[in-house]
Amino acid sequence: MAEKIPSAQRRGRPRQAEVARLAGVSQTTVSLVLGGNKQGIALHEDTRARVLSAARELGYVPDPAARRLAAARNNLLGVFSFTATFPTAVEHSYYPFLVGVEQEAAAQGYDLVLFTGSSSGGAQAGEPGALNRVRLADGCLFLGRHVPDDQLRQLVADGYPAVHIGRREEPEGLAWVGADYVAAGAEVVRHLAGLGHRRVVLVREDDDAPASTDRERGFRTGLAECAGRRAMDDPAAVVRTARPAGDITPAWVRARLAEGVTAFVAEETDTGAAWRALHTAVAAAGLDVPGDVSLALLGSPPADLAAARSPTGFDVPRAELGAAAVRMLTAQLSGQERAEPLVACGFRAGHTTGPPPGGTR
């Protein structure tokens, strides 16, 4: 056996190289012996005994990180958010998703890696290859309304485990978990109809994000149930705007009321622009809510308006969605197929709706 290494010369965790020197063998031989020789390579029993003796003498224990790397698994789940600011602030609308993700990941024995490449000051997610960094993790959760399809499509094509939080039909093959915005939106409209409202307008941002599409579908489904098919197909029932603050003005609100509209509904987005513009315009018009007009929100209000009266609408089960996404991702990593059902949203009665002025229920 080779000369013993004085303990004073060793620092930190003993390495396989030190075991190899003490046993008088190659590091490859040490790796084979300590790894259980799964390759089935012929080793002399005396060689194996020397390696094990050296490992005991040095107090060698396997590095768990190195063992995971050797197995091509790090027990790391990635989280990539397509937002200007990564949602680590408690008031951020996406923060509860992270709470659910963290709790479920911890319960399943995984650590998290938060990728901030799309945040201000970082490499933009739309740049070529920007998403490749997520491959450091065993699999990744994606969060956000606008995702670069080409890069995500490549990850899926490569067989990289990925789950999007929120319904997303493209690219084909991407797993996702989602909230049942259609049923929740229809319930909000039914609530308004039950109060006596017959002319209701939805204000939404001008894009085709699946979450917005589902909210509009639920809104129109509710109109069809309560006011007939013509109301569902009425193009004036939905206003799409790329600049809510400029288009939804006090004059616009008064004009709609003059046409017989008695209630407005806005969608929730990560910007909160539609609800904020509607809320501001109604207040600037000097209208009482819900005395003069009723307001409802398909989701939760932005943080800067959360202290105001709770709006009628529904609550998105963000923590539950985050946990469901982790379950789906870890199932992929285990080679299993898992389908998470749409998560129901809880109706919120709020304080911003009432019977229409002069109307009867």
Side-chain angles (χ1 to χ4, degrees):
M1 181 176 290
E3 182 180 357
K4 180 177 179 180
I5 302 173
S7 58
Q9 296 180 15
R10 295 198 309 270
R11 295 179 181 178
R13 181 196 299 270
R15 297 172 299 174
Q16 285 191 3
E18 295 174 345
V19 175
R21 286 198 296 271
L22 184 58
V25 298
S26 69
Q27 188 170 338
T28 300
T29 299
V30 171
S31 180
L32 286 171
V33 173
L34 298 182
N37 194 14
K38 296 181 177 64
Q39 297 85 343
I41 296 174
L43 292 174
H44 197 283
E45 182 58 32
D46 179 62
T47 301
R48 179 177 176 276
R50 292 208 316 273
V51 170
L52 294 176
S53 175
R56 285 194 297 269
E57 187 171 346
L58 291 174
Y60 174 85
V61 293
D63 182 346
R67 295 185 67 175
R68 288 196 299 267
L69 284 171
R73 290 280 292 275
N74 301 317
N75 275 20
L76 297 176
L77 303 183
V79 180
F80 198 112
S81 171
F82 297 93
T83 55
T85 303
F86 201 84
T88 51
V90 175
E91 64 272 11
H92 197 292
S93 61
Y94 283 176
Y95 177 81
F97 287 119
L98 295 186
V99 173
V101 167
E102 190 276 334
Q103 291 176 344
E104 185 67 24
Q108 299 208 32
Y110 284 86
D111 290 315
L112 296 178
V113 180
L114 308 182
F115 295 96
T116 59
S118 63
S119 302
S120 300
Q124 295 303 304
E127 295 180 356
L131 293 193
N132 281 337
R133 64 174 64 87
V134 304
R135 297 176 189 267
L136 293 170
D138 298 330
C140 192
L141 305 173
F142 293 95
L143 178 66
R145 286 167 64 87
H146 304 293
V147 180
D149 288 341
D150 55 341
Q151 296 190 50
L152 200 54
R153 186 176 292 109
Q154 186 60 56
L155 288 174
V156 173
D158 291 344
Y160 180 75
V163 174
H164 188 266
I165 301 178
R167 184 179 73 81
R168 189 172 182 85
E169 303 294 353
E170 294 291 338
E172 185 178 356
L174 174 66
W176 56 268
V177 297
D180 194 349
Y181 294 139
V182 175
E187 185 173 7
V188 171
V189 175
R190 285 194 292 268
H191 173 77
L192 290 169
L195 292 172
H197 295 278
R198 295 296 177 265
R199 293 287 305 279
V200 184
V201 169
L202 168 67
V203 178
R204 57 164 289 190
E205 293 187 24
D206 188 22
D207 64 35
D208 294 315
S212 295
T213 301
D214 286 350
R215 284 179 167 91
E216 178 177 337
R217 181 182 166 200
F219 174 81
R220 290 190 179 276
T221 298
L223 287 183
E225 292 177 0
C226 302
R229 177 63 59 177
R230 288 185 60 188
M232 179 179 183
D233 297 332
D234 181 5
V238 176
V239 174
R240 292 176 60 146
T241 171
R243 44 190 299 272
D247 293 338
I248 309 303
T249 64
W252 181 88
V253 170
R254 293 192 191 96
R256 301 292 80 73
L257 294 183
E259 296 169 355
V261 174
T262 58
F264 294 97
V265 179
E267 67 162 342
E268 177 198 357
T269 65
D270 51 356
T271 66
W275 174 252
R276 187 177 290 106
L278 185 59
H279 188 273
T280 300
V282 167
L287 299 170
D288 177 69
V289 177
D292 298 323
V293 62
S294 288
L295 302 179
L297 175 61
L298 304 184
S300 302
D304 58 319
L305 296 178
R309 286 181 299 172
S310 175
T312 298
F314 59 76
D315 294 314
V316 180
R318 288 176 167 82
E320 291 88 341
L321 284 167
V326 171
R327 290 193 295 270
M328 182 173 286
L329 184 57
T330 55
Q332 286 188 33
L333 293 171
S334 301
Q336 306 170 10
E337 290 189 10
R338 184 184 184 96
E340 290 281 345
L342 288 174
V343 181
C345 301
F347 177 75
R348 184 182 61 245
H351 304 93
T352 58
T353 56
T360 57
R361 296 186 58 179

